[in-house]
Amino acid sequence: MTLLPEPSGEHTPTARVRFPFPSEIDFSNADRLLPQIMARALPRPGHPARLLVLDLTATEFMDSQGVRLINDVHRLLRPQTRVYVVAGPESMATHVLELTGVRRDIPVYDNLPEAMAAH
């Protein structure tokens, strides 16, 4: 069983949120990740639009459930929250995102600082 990551930072109304993904994303954990991501990323009344960075830099395996998860997050948070993905340039996650066309709809960055600084 894959352990789920702890979201980074405290649960505060900051404009930027990083959510680290586990080393594997598949049918065993994708459904449990969605509510965790949404709880961290949903805009709160009186707070400006946000940026959510889904951090896949430690993800070594991802199947179609990971793609579905990313698409669901993007669909559910738009337009109040921008969703970006960060994944290593030669990682399996990047290859899956390219093959499935996710990169056309959601910006994918090669490194975390660049993704967190993006506007």
Side-chain angles (χ1 to χ4, degrees):
M1 180 168 144
T2 303
L3 296 176
L4 297 177
E6 288 296 321
S8 65
E10 304 223 356
H11 186 62
T12 59
T14 59
R16 299 177 192 282
V17 174
R18 172 185 163 259
F19 191 93
F21 273 41
S23 62
E24 297 180 6
I25 306 167
D26 57 24
F27 72 93
S28 70
N29 63 0
D31 286 341
R32 293 187 316 236
L33 286 170
L34 182 60
Q36 291 179 21
I37 295 168
M38 297 307 288
R40 292 268 306 152
L42 281 174
R44 306 288 190 265
H47 296 289
R50 299 167 63 123
L51 169 66
L52 171 65
V53 175
L54 302 175
D55 185 352
L56 279 71
T57 55
T59 302
E60 297 174 3
F61 175 81
M62 183 172 82
D63 64 11
S64 62
Q65 295 300 308
V67 173
R68 181 186 53 82
L69 174 63
I70 292 168
N71 280 327
D72 286 350
V73 169
H74 183 252
R75 178 181 50 82
L76 292 169
L77 291 175
R78 296 289 296 171
Q80 301 91 346
T81 301
R82 292 173 307 214
V83 177
Y84 296 162
V85 173
V86 62
E90 296 300 319
S91 70
M92 178 185 219
T94 292
H95 294 298
V96 170
L97 296 172
E98 288 175 2
L99 289 171
T100 58
V102 171
R103 289 185 73 114
R104 289 184 302 237
D105 300 324
I106 302 171
V108 178
Y109 292 88
D110 292 340
N111 65 68
L112 186 58
E114 186 178 313
M116 293 298 286
H119 296 294

